[in-house]
Amino acid sequence: MSSPSKPRILLLGEIEHEPASEEWQALSTLAELVTPKATNRAEFIQECKSGALNGVVAVYRTFGSASITGRVDEEMVKVLPKGLKYIAHNGAGYDQIDVDVCTEHGIHISNVPTAVDDATADTGVFLAIGALRGFNLPLVNLRKKVFRGTAAPSLGHDPEGKVLGILGMGGIGRNMARKLRAFGMSVQYYNRKKLSDELADGAKYVEFEELLKTSDVISLNLPLNAHTRHIISTPQFHLMKPGVVIVNTARGAVMDEAALVAALDIGTVASVGLDVYENEPEIHPGLVSNDKVLLLPHMGTYTVETQTAMEKWNISNVRMALQEGKLRSPVPEQKDMAN
């Protein structure tokens, strides 16, 4: 009597760091490791329809794998292997996946939450201090061999005594709050739910509009979804303190870039630190040309240590799915979903 065949697990994207790579290969004792032949969405849909990926029960996917599959939406979910039950996404943000559609089809989704907190918060701190101090223009001029510029740059501002308003007080927001307190900033936040005193760690809970009206620096640390897209746009800029500084390390589309450019032009927003953009890798030309905008090309988790930890965490989601029939870190929308 032949033994039952192993389940299959699909790798979408690459595992780039050696310790994590070894852990992925070790899963071969539990399942057959599979990679797609497709290089674009049309080819991947056809590969699924052909039956070549039948037997796949779990998927490990990266942010970059969208170049192969596109968004995991209804069209995509309908052609995925019928036995697929788990998608492990290597990232904190998972807006590339339509969670509602996956839930309807019985597919469980996980993300990588806490492993990204330190590196992303560090990036936010860099952008907050850099934008407050107005470091962008001197950095650009120095590369042009013009020390400080032909005219002295405008004076920046110290973080001491300023109010930091955090929109989205999850792990990254709390991490950033702790680090910026060391610079003498006080912290207030708005969240879907007020945090326990222990988690808030001294940060003051305020309503959304109050945060906009009273913060000197506003940090966006919330996920992108249908409710948060353009949560910051023209009406919100009109509520902010004149000369506010904005930092975004979340997702570009939580803020209306065209409205941001206009707010910068009229001086409502004094300066900005951005790591994410509404239409990455494209950046609004009004941001690129503005000397008051400090730009990074989505570098939030771009460290050896963090990316290795993220890969290992995501592999642990796949391993748990195979061994226990559940995910280590299911996304919040599916917290009550039956296994």
Side-chain angles (χ1 to χ4, degrees):
M1 185 177 193
S2 62
S3 59
S5 59
K6 287 181 181 178
R8 307 174 85 196
I9 52 177
L10 177 65
L11 175 61
L12 289 174
E14 297 182 8
I15 297 172
E16 299 179 347
H17 299 89
E18 189 67 29
S21 227
E22 292 172 1
E23 290 190 16
W24 176 256
Q25 291 302 320
L27 291 180
S28 62
T29 62
L30 301 173
E32 179 188 351
L33 310 183
V34 182
T35 55
K37 294 181 179 177
T39 59
N40 57 54
R41 182 178 175 94
E43 290 177 0
F44 185 76
I45 288 174
Q46 187 53 44
E47 190 169 355
C48 289
K49 288 180 175 179
S50 74
L53 300 178
N54 286 355
V56 168
V57 298
V59 172
Y60 175 118
R61 79 177 299 277
T62 67
F63 185 83
S65 71
S67 65
I68 300 171
T69 65
R71 191 164 189 268
V72 182
D73 54 13
E74 183 144 16
E75 179 190 33
M76 179 58 63
V77 169
K78 283 182 176 179
V79 301
L80 289 173
K82 298 303 179 188
L84 177 65
K85 290 190 65 178
Y86 307 99
I87 298 177
H89 172 70
N90 184 22
Y94 46 92
D95 46 286
Q96 293 177 338
I97 302 171
D98 190 324
V99 176
D100 290 341
V101 168
C102 288
T103 301
E104 289 172 9
H105 287 78
I107 299 173
H108 298 254
I109 310 297
S110 64
N111 68 331
V112 176
T114 58
V116 307
D117 291 357
D118 264 314
T120 307
D122 291 347
T123 302
V125 170
F126 168 83
L127 291 170
I129 300 301
L132 265 171
R133 293 292 305 274
F135 283 156
N136 179 66
L137 183 57
L139 285 170
V140 171
N141 284 332
L142 200 57
R143 294 287 184 186
K144 296 177 180 177
K145 300 182 180 180
V146 183
F147 198 80
R148 287 194 179 175
T150 52
S154 299
L155 290 172
H157 293 278
D158 294 324
E160 286 84 359
K162 301 299 188 298
V163 177
L164 170 66
I166 295 180
L167 185 55
M169 193 71 156
I172 295 168
R174 295 196 301 274
N175 193 305
M176 195 168 165
R178 174 171 56 83
K179 289 170 176 172
L180 281 171
R181 278 197 197 96
F183 287 85
M185 301 188 78
S186 60
V187 181
Q188 59 186 14
Y189 74 96
Y190 173 75
N191 214 41
R192 286 175 297 179
K193 295 180 180 178
K194 185 178 180 180
L195 300 179
S196 67
D197 290 344
E198 181 182 4
L199 283 178
D201 192 25
K204 177 186 176 184
Y205 177 81
V206 296
E207 293 298 331
F208 180 48
E209 288 195 2
E210 185 179 349
L211 182 139
L212 298 179
K213 291 176 180 178
T214 60
S215 298
D216 299 301
V217 178
I218 296 175
S219 177
L220 308 183
N221 299 100
L222 66 171
L224 174 63
N225 54 46
H227 303 292
T228 62
R229 181 176 293 276
H230 284 192
I231 194 170
I232 301 296
S233 189
T234 302
Q236 289 73 41
F237 287 124
H238 287 162
L239 293 174
M240 294 177 189
K241 293 176 71 171
V244 69
V245 171
I246 298 178
V247 173
N248 189 5
T249 58
R251 284 290 188 265
V254 300
M255 184 160 50
D256 181 343
E257 283 188 357
L260 172 61
V261 169
L264 281 161
D265 287 344
I266 64 174
T268 301
V269 176
S271 57
V272 184
L274 301 175
D275 189 42
V276 290
Y277 307 93
E278 194 166 348
N279 297 299
E280 290 184 24
E282 296 178 16
I283 305 175
H284 194 294
L287 297 174
V288 176
S289 63
N290 194 313
D291 293 332
K292 297 177 181 178
V293 180
L294 182 58
L295 304 172
L296 289 176
H298 207 148
M299 302 289 284
T301 60
Y302 213 70
T303 73
V304 171
E305 295 83 359
T306 294
Q307 292 203 357
T308 301
M310 289 172 66
E311 289 178 346
K312 292 174 76 171
W313 183 296
N314 209 39
I315 290 167
S316 75
N317 268 310
V318 176
R319 179 179 289 277
M320 186 173 283
L322 293 171
Q323 293 182 322
E324 302 180 35
K326 61 182 181 179
L327 294 164
R328 176 185 178 187
S329 51
V331 298
E333 296 94 323
Q334 292 185 338
K335 64 180 180 179
D336 298 321
M337 184 177 173
N339 289 318

